[in-house]
């Protein structure tokens, strides 16, 4: 009885403490706060969503509600074109202050204090994985009085967007526990593993329905080819970029070999005359490599364009930021061929129809609608072959020969592709276009 009374008294004291501090109940919500100077997320779109995904993963694992964020990537000059990615953002609405506790804060140099930590954690000496592990240990303890005391004591009134404020009020959050984009993995808790969060993120992205925006619908209605294939070929910001580490360039950059191999598999199952290929790239439309691919596919009976070509003849495309057009084309294509960049692989996460890809440990796509062909990405070897070939046709033939040398894996990939096409293309198109 005495122990019960002591426990009751302790709970009353804790409750009183929060009442004194202006809170009836400690009900935290996770929130991703942009860089305090710029308000931006970390990196480009894929990195920004990777940071947000890490927050959603932790929210699901530790049963903490998550505030639907406004997306504002810092890189590639994207500005606010993806700000309504998950929420109906309106830049004209005034921001509101909300009680917010940072999950970690910078002390000096590279030293960070974690929530309720007893000592500074120097991320220059600790691997990112270890730092995140420590952060996760703290988050698991969010129901403990010590954690709650620390959060309340370190709360500040910080501004958040109006749509985020409305969501926080709807969830009845007492405090926001904020991840903060400060340029380190520790800060944002990035994760490209979408297996747990994909259904929720798709629900957010398609909150107004799955149908494409009207300008895409009208363009699609004008097309005579029944199967739209979109291929992502990243090269513009990595080709010849002396400031980017060579290894990173090799990870993100693709030679045309992948495009040739992917289309080779597709035309084994579908008639070339049924296909319209759209190449999405950050390179200029007149880039030699892009034009060589277009010419090659045209010669093989596949009508091919870049999205820049289409924008020149469709006025409605010109009224939307071209990067947003590219992303939505990838989302709504009948078939998407991803590159090695997170940009198209994020589109693959949100899609639910046929997607051709290759194994990539950094941006895995372990979903039923993604067909992983046994093509190995080795940019240096691909580029040497591309530069030494006498013609693009010779390079393409060599790429196909090398791919076909692994015939057993290739046949399995072809079976998966046939299964996905059967499920995602409407029966009339399948009957008309199947070989």
């Amino acid at each position: 009885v005495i122990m019960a009374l002591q426990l009751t008294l302790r709970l009353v004291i804790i409750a009183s403490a929060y009442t004194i501090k202006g809170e009836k109940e400690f009900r935290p919500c996770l929130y991703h706060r942009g860089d305090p100077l710029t308000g931006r997320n970390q990196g480009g779109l894929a990195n920004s969503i990777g940071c947000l995904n890490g927050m959603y993963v932790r929210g699901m694992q530790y049963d903490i509600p998550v505030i639907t964020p406004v997306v504002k990537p810092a890189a590639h000059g994207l500005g606010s074109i993806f700000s309504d990615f998950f929420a109906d953002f309106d830049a004209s609405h005034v921001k509101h202050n909300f009680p917010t506790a940072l999950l970690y804060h910078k002390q000096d140099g590279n030293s960070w204090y974690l929530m309720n930590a007893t000592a500074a954690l120097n991320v220059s000496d600790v691997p990112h994985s270890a730092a995140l592990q420590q952060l996760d240990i703290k988050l698991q303890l969010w129901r403990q009085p010590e954690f709650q005391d620390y959060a309340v004591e370190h709360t500040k009134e910080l501004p958040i967007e109006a749509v985020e404020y409305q969501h926080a009020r709807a969830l009845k959050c007492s405090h926001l526990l904020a991840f903060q984009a400060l340029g380190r993995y520790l800060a944002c808790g990035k994760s490209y593993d979408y297996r747990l969060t994909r259904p929720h993120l798709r629900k957010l992205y398609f909150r107004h329905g799955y149908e494409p925006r009207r300008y895409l619908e009208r363009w699609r209605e004008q097309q005579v080819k029944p199967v739209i294939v979109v291929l992502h070929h990243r090269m513009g910001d990595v080709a010849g970029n002396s400031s980017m580490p060579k290894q990173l360039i090799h990870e993100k950059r693709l030679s045309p070999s992948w495009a040739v191999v992917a289309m080779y598999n597709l035309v084994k199952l579908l008639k070339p005359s049924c296909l319209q290929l759209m190449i999405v790239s950050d390179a200029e439309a007149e880039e030699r490599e892009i034009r060589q691919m277009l010419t090659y596919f045209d010669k093989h009976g596949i009508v091919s364009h870049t999205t820049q070509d289409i924008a020149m003849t469709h006025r409605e495309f010109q009224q939307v930021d071209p990067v947003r057009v590219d992303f939505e084309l990838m989302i709504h294509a009948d078939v998407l061929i991803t590159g090695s960049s997170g940009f198209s692989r994020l589109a693959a996460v949100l899609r639910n129809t046929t997607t051709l890809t290759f194994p990539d440990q950094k941006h895995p796509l372990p979903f039923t609608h993604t067909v992983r062909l046994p093509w190995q990405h080795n940019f240096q070897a691909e580029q040497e072959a591309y530069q030494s070939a006498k013609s693009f046709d010779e390079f393409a033939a060599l790429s196909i020969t090398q791919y076909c040398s692994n015939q057993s894996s290739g046949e399995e990939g072809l079976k998966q592709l046939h299964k996905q096409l059967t499920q995602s293309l409407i029966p009339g198109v399948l009957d008309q276009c199947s070989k």
Side-chain angles (χ1 to χ4, degrees):
V1 173
I2 293 173
M3 290 178 63
L5 288 172
Q6 288 175 336
L7 178 60
T8 302
L9 180 60
R10 177 171 171 76
L11 291 174
V12 168
I13 292 171
I14 292 172
S16 300
Y18 292 124
T19 303
I20 292 170
K21 293 169 184 174
E23 298 295 340
K24 293 182 179 179
E25 178 187 5
F26 183 74
R27 181 179 170 79
C29 295
L30 293 183
Y31 169 68
H32 189 276
R33 186 168 183 257
D35 185 283
L37 296 178
T38 66
R40 298 287 172 189
N41 305 126
Q42 186 187 61
L45 181 64
N47 282 324
S48 293
I49 302 301
C51 290
L52 301 176
N53 181 57
M55 179 179 66
Y56 274 107
V57 168
R58 289 170 174 84
M60 292 179 177
Q61 288 175 336
Y62 308 134
D63 194 26
I64 309 175
V66 176
I67 300 301
T68 303
V70 172
V71 179
K72 295 181 181 179
H76 308 304
L78 296 178
S80 298
I81 64 173
F82 288 104
S83 56
D84 63 346
F85 202 86
F86 289 144
D88 295 325
F89 173 68
D90 188 333
S92 67
H93 290 176
V94 178
K95 292 184 178 182
H96 299 272
N97 287 338
F98 205 93
T100 304
L102 300 181
L103 285 169
Y104 34 76
H105 59 274
K106 199 166 186 178
Q107 186 71 8
D108 57 74
N110 286 324
S111 295
W112 300 75
Y113 277 102
L114 292 177
M115 180 74 76
N116 200 28
T118 56
L121 177 67
N122 193 321
V123 295
S124 63
D125 299 327
V126 178
H128 290 149
S129 58
L132 286 174
Q133 187 178 31
Q134 290 298 315
L135 177 61
D136 287 336
I137 289 172
K138 301 303 176 187
L139 273 178
Q140 291 178 57
L141 302 175
W142 73 267
R143 290 184 175 88
Q144 299 296 321
E146 293 82 3
F147 183 99
Q148 297 181 11
D149 286 338
Y150 184 95
V152 173
E153 288 168 8
H154 289 78
T155 290
K156 297 179 180 179
E157 292 284 331
L158 297 177
I160 61 176
E161 299 291 352
V163 66
E164 296 169 336
Y165 179 81
Q166 291 167 6
H167 194 206
R169 293 292 300 272
L171 290 174
K172 298 181 180 179
C173 311
S174 66
H175 294 75
L176 302 184
L177 303 179
F179 292 82
Q180 184 159 305
L182 293 170
R184 286 189 175 275
Y185 290 103
L186 171 62
C188 82
K190 188 186 302 181
S191 172
Y192 296 122
D193 186 348
Y194 291 95
R195 285 175 296 179
L196 182 64
T197 57
R198 181 173 174 264
H200 181 65
L201 298 186
R202 274 177 50 82
K203 183 179 179 180
L204 289 176
Y205 186 80
F206 296 112
R207 61 194 179 279
H208 297 306
Y210 186 76
E211 293 303 314
R213 300 195 180 211
R214 187 61 188 143
Y215 76 94
L216 280 182
E217 259 189 297
R218 278 195 281 264
W219 171 78
R220 181 63 188 262
E221 289 166 359
Q222 298 170 21
Q223 305 313 302
V224 294
K225 304 296 182 182
V227 181
I228 304 296
V229 182
V230 174
L231 163 73
H232 183 226
H233 188 75
R234 181 175 180 178
M235 61 179 295
D237 67 329
V238 291
N241 189 336
S242 58
S243 64
M244 187 177 287
K246 194 172 184 179
Q247 182 181 352
L248 191 58
I249 293 175
H250 289 183
E251 285 179 6
K252 295 179 177 294
R253 180 87 159 80
L254 284 179
S255 83
S257 172
W258 165 240
V260 169
V261 166
M263 293 302 293
Y264 167 77
N265 278 272
L266 201 55
V267 298
K268 272 192 166 187
L269 300 174
L270 299 176
K271 299 172 184 175
S273 58
C274 281
L275 306 179
Q276 175 160 338
L277 174 65
M278 302 285 296
I279 296 181
V280 168
S281 179
D282 52 358
E284 294 296 326
E286 294 305 318
E287 170 70 41
R288 175 173 173 265
E289 197 171 293
I290 300 293
R291 286 297 152 191
Q292 284 180 324
M293 286 194 286
L294 294 175
T295 301
Y296 174 79
F297 293 128
D298 278 334
K299 283 197 301 186
H300 287 77
I302 302 168
V303 174
S304 307
H305 302 282
T306 67
T307 50
Q308 292 153 318
D309 295 332
I310 299 299
M312 293 175 65
T313 55
H314 286 73
R315 187 175 299 175
E316 284 183 304
F317 273 52
Q318 300 169 13
Q319 298 170 2
V320 183
D321 189 284
V323 181
R324 190 67 186 252
V325 172
D326 288 348
F327 191 78
E328 289 178 356
L329 276 170
M330 291 191 293
I331 289 283
H332 294 287
D334 296 310
V335 179
L336 170 64
I337 301 174
T338 73
S340 54
S341 166
F343 187 57
S344 55
R345 287 180 171 261
L346 175 60
V349 170
L350 296 173
R351 285 167 55 80
N352 212 24
T353 51
T354 305
T355 302
L356 273 172
T357 187
F358 55 87
D360 185 291
Q361 292 183 346
K362 186 175 181 181
H363 295 278
L365 294 171
F367 308 115
T368 56
H369 70 285
T370 54
V371 179
R372 291 171 292 283
L373 297 178
W375 181 82
Q376 297 300 317
H377 176 32
N378 185 335
F379 175 71
Q380 188 167 350
E382 297 156 22
Q383 196 67 1
E384 288 173 0
Y386 174 70
Q387 292 173 348
S388 62
K390 295 178 181 178
S391 66
F392 191 88
D393 286 6
E394 180 183 306
F395 168 75
L398 177 63
S399 298
I400 292 171
T401 299
Q402 289 178 337
Y403 174 78
C404 291
S405 63
N406 190 0
Q407 192 60 33
S408 59
S409 297
E411 287 300 321
E412 181 59 33
L414 202 62
K415 289 178 184 177
Q416 293 178 17
L417 178 56
H418 180 266
K419 179 180 178 181
Q420 284 305 313
L421 289 171
T422 302
Q423 292 176 353
S424 61
L425 294 179
I426 60 176
V429 170
L430 202 60
D431 295 340
Q432 175 188 347
C433 296
S434 293
K435 282 189 171 179

